């Protein structure tokens, strides 16, 4: 009996470790994506203020706007996927 409970405890510990590790990697990846989006938005803001004062090339402004548009579309897509997953969880029978 003790051997089986020890093996069960060890298996539980390993499965818990496996289940926890991908979440931490996913969280780090999401944090990197979010940081990239914020930096794109800040770069666009600087380019916009520079375009208004005439210190930034209009081409750089258009490029910054395109990068920001891509970042916003990515954020919206991520949000939609999270909402879809949440709705799917709510539909699961208990």
């Amino acid at each position: 009996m003790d051997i089986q409970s020890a093996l069960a405890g060890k298996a539980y510990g390993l499965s818990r470790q496996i289940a926890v590790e991908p979440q931490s990697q996913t969280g780090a990846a999401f944090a990197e994506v979010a940081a990239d989006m914020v930096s794109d938005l800040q770069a666009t803001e600087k380019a916009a203020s520079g375009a208004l004062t005439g210190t930034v090339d209009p081409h750089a402004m258009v490029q910054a706007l395109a990068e920001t548009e891509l970042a916003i579309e990515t954020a919206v897509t991520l949000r939609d996927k999270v909402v879809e997953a949440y709705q799917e969880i709510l539909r699961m029978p208990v």
Side-chain angles (χ1 to χ4, degrees), residues 16-27:
R16 184 173 179 195
Q17 182 181 7
I18 291 170
V20 172
E21 285 178 9
Q23 291 176 355
S24 63
Q25 292 171 356
T26 303

Side-chain angles (χ1 to χ4, degrees), residues 27-40:
F30 180 75
E32 289 176 13
V33 169
D36 288 343
M37 286 184 206
V38 169
S39 80
D40 286 345

Side-chain angles (χ1 to χ4, degrees):
M1 235 353 150
D2 290 337
I3 294 174
Q4 290 178 345
S5 63
L7 290 176
K10 187 175 181 178
Y12 175 75
L14 290 174
S15 65
R16 184 173 179 195
Q17 182 181 7
I18 291 170
V20 172
E21 285 178 9
Q23 291 176 355
S24 63
Q25 292 171 356
T26 303
F30 180 75
E32 289 176 13
V33 169
D36 288 343
M37 286 184 206
V38 169
S39 80
D40 286 345
L41 293 174
Q42 290 172 344
T44 301
E45 186 176 342
K46 286 180 184 176
S49 62
L52 291 174
T53 60
T55 58
V56 174
D57 182 35
H59 177 71
M61 175 64 189
V62 172
Q63 185 178 2
L65 284 173
E67 290 175 0
T68 302
E69 183 179 3
L70 181 63
I72 290 172
E73 287 176 2
T74 303
V76 169
T77 302
L78 285 173
R79 182 207 59 192
D80 291 344
K81 291 292 183 181
V82 168
V83 169
E84 182 182 331
Y86 178 74
Q87 289 174 344
E88 192 66 31
I89 289 170
L90 289 178
R91 286 189 219 123
M92 289 182 181
V94 178

